[in-house]
Amino acid sequence: MTDDAYNSAKDFIYTIGGREMSTDSTIVADVFSAIRRIMEEPDSELNDWAFLLNMAESQLRHYARECGVASDDATLVKLTAELKNIRELYADRMVDAADVHEMLEDSVGHIADYCRWLEESQPRPKLVIDYIPADDPCELMITAAHTTRDMSVGGHYENTLFVPYSRLSAQKALDGADESCGKVMILSCSTQHIVLAWAGKEYTLKLGESVTTEPEMCNNPMLSVDMLSMTFEYRPLTSYRRATDIVLKVSDAHRLNSGWRKLDCTEVEQAALDVVNHMISNEGDVEMYPMKALLDASNDWSTFVITRMSHFKAILLEGIEKGCLAPQCDLAWQWLEMAATNNDPTLFVDDMDLYYDLLATAAEEGNSIALDIMNTIWEPEQIIEED
């Protein structure tokens, strides 16, 4: 792939009567889906097509209403009247199935144009995130680890807070990683070291060092035991950390924003891809190819369902040719595992002999991700036979 620009696409794509229609709206998707189902059936029971036509009509009205269009809008009235007329004519047996298909084929283009106009006339709010400043050289990572016991049941959980260098200053009190931590006081800091205090004790860290405190008992009335220990790590900020910070924030936005009018995340998504492209082109980090492939090919970073498989395959193949799936490339394999979680890994590479060799070589060197993907694609007996 020579074009590094993020390629966005709609979530729902339909081909009806030789015409491709796409939308981000689940409401409009219902309209297109209903019409396509009718167009694909040679004939149907009256009730089935009546239901689908009625749904298309009501969902078109619903979407127009959500977009703030009045119910007496001339185009809306005309289009819904056409759907209603088709439904009533078919119910009265005034037209046959072929007539219905012909009338719908005439109407669907106008409906698609109207829905696109509605969508474009309602600009989606843009996602705004708090980026890690580009010139920040390091960050403080605070991890609160809880060891709990409730009656005879033990547990362990952790919360982590990242504070970039530009937000660290002497005599500043930081909130801990969770509400039970109390404050962490920054006594002094530079790009090479930091001095902080927590629970009456001081800790001095050089860049690249970490320290874990002795466990402290938390006052937690919900549990019989809640022991808290803190880990402070002062570490350089890498390009990968900057990229994953953006990805995690976009993932949260995608997961939480499931309404009819989605946030416009394209600029923020492009920012993540810009960092990944920099790592590949300027830092020579070929391990980032599977990450780039998945980010570029998916519209939903909370699930990483691939929408543009051709993009994914092209970018991944470019990375494979540069050695991104060598057995020791742990990050590349982790991103390939993420891609395989909600997608079919048999579709990732067209050359199955090449794919098998890559997976087998990595599996032989103890790469469990490669072995899991192999077992997903091929039965164990096939793997033994081919070996």
Side-chain angles (χ1 to χ4, degrees):
M1 298 285 290
T2 55
D3 181 9
D4 288 333
Y6 176 70
N7 187 291
S8 182
K10 303 295 187 181
D11 283 348
F12 305 98
I13 301 172
Y14 299 89
T15 301
I16 304 174
R19 174 171 179 160
E20 186 175 280
M21 282 155 277
S22 60
T23 182
D24 278 331
S25 167
T26 56
I27 304 173
V28 178
D30 286 341
V31 177
F32 291 159
S33 176
I35 294 174
R36 186 179 67 177
R37 283 177 60 187
I38 295 172
M39 296 290 287
E40 289 178 347
E41 293 180 5
D43 204 345
S44 177
E45 296 294 327
L46 281 177
N47 288 342
D48 293 340
W49 280 11
F51 170 78
L52 291 171
L53 287 164
N54 188 62
M55 181 175 73
E57 180 188 341
S58 63
Q59 288 296 77
L60 184 58
R61 292 184 189 278
H62 181 193
Y63 188 60
R65 185 169 60 251
E66 292 283 1
C67 291
V69 173
S71 59
D72 59 354
D73 174 73
T75 306
L76 176 63
V77 170
K78 178 177 180 294
L79 293 174
T80 53
E82 287 178 5
L83 291 172
K84 182 179 179 181
N85 183 53
I86 296 170
R87 173 164 52 86
E88 291 179 347
L89 287 172
Y90 188 63
D92 293 339
R93 291 301 190 186
M94 301 293 290
V95 295
D96 60 15
D99 294 327
V100 170
H101 289 166
E102 186 177 345
M103 288 187 287
L104 277 178
E105 192 165 344
D106 289 339
S107 296
V108 72
H110 300 300
I111 292 171
D113 291 340
Y114 184 62
C115 289
R116 184 167 57 251
W117 174 78
L118 289 174
E119 198 163 7
E120 291 174 354
S121 69
Q122 302 293 317
R124 295 184 295 167
K126 291 184 179 293
L127 173 65
V128 178
I129 68 167
D130 194 9
Y131 292 96
I132 296 174
D135 55 353
D136 269 15
C138 52
E139 68 180 350
L140 175 65
M141 183 173 76
I142 305 171
T143 302
H146 293 261
T147 301
T148 63
R149 183 164 294 280
D150 185 14
M151 304 299 286
S152 61
V153 180
H156 181 86
Y157 68 94
E158 296 182 354
N159 292 309
T160 302
L161 174 70
F162 299 94
V163 187
Y165 178 74
S166 58
R167 292 169 203 152
L168 297 170
S169 58
Q171 305 306 313
K172 180 177 181 179
L174 301 173
D175 291 326
D178 60 39
E179 60 184 17
S180 60
C181 296
K183 297 290 185 179
V184 177
M185 177 65 72
I186 307 301
L187 301 179
S188 67
C189 68
S190 72
T191 57
Q192 298 303 313
H193 81 282
I194 189 168
V195 181
L196 50 87
W198 179 76
K201 295 181 181 179
E202 289 188 12
Y203 302 92
T204 301
L205 297 173
K206 294 179 181 178
L207 187 65
E209 291 183 339
S210 65
V211 63
T212 300
T213 69
E214 291 295 321
E216 302 269 347
M217 180 69 78
C218 287
N219 180 19
N220 189 341
M222 305 299 293
L223 297 169
S224 52
V225 175
D226 186 355
M227 300 295 292
L228 168 67
S229 62
M230 301 284 281
T231 298
F232 304 106
E233 182 179 354
Y234 201 43
R235 61 187 199 169
L237 260 171
T238 64
S239 297
Y240 183 70
R241 167 78 179 94
R242 296 178 195 278
T244 53
D245 177 68
I246 301 173
V247 171
L248 288 171
K249 289 170 180 174
V250 173
S251 174
D252 286 342
H254 284 171
R255 177 173 53 82
L256 296 172
N257 184 235
S258 57
W260 72 273
R261 188 183 298 166
K262 292 188 175 182
L263 280 170
D264 182 356
C265 302
T266 306
E267 288 182 11
V268 181
E269 291 164 353
Q270 180 63 57
L273 274 162
D274 287 345
V275 178
V276 174
N277 285 321
H278 175 84
M279 295 171 70
I280 293 171
S281 302
N282 296 70
E283 300 177 12
D285 194 345
V286 297
E287 282 195 67
M288 294 298 101
Y289 270 103
M291 180 181 184
K292 175 181 176 178
L294 189 55
L295 297 183
D296 184 273
S298 174
N299 282 349
D300 185 344
W301 291 6
S302 65
T303 63
F304 283 123
V305 171
I306 293 174
T307 308
R308 297 172 290 281
M309 185 59 73
S310 61
H311 278 231
F312 182 87
K313 291 196 291 188
I315 296 169
L316 182 62
L317 181 60
E318 182 180 322
I320 288 171
E321 291 170 348
K322 296 181 180 180
C324 76
L325 290 183
Q328 71 275 12
C329 293
D330 292 337
L331 279 177
W333 285 101
Q334 288 172 24
W335 279 95
L336 194 66
E337 180 181 37
M338 273 190 268
T341 300
N342 288 325
N343 301 283
D344 182 358
T346 61
L347 303 176
F348 292 173
V349 180
D350 288 332
D351 186 341
M352 296 305 285
D353 291 335
L354 169 64
Y355 198 16
Y356 185 93
D357 289 344
L358 288 167
L359 294 168
T361 300
E364 286 168 5
E365 297 200 19
N367 188 311
S368 61
I369 295 172
L371 182 59
D372 288 343
I373 293 175
M374 284 188 78
N375 289 334
T376 300
I377 300 174
W378 294 281
E379 295 293 335
E381 312 84 66
Q382 291 178 286
I383 295 172
I384 294 169
E385 286 172 11
E386 298 212 14
D387 288 343

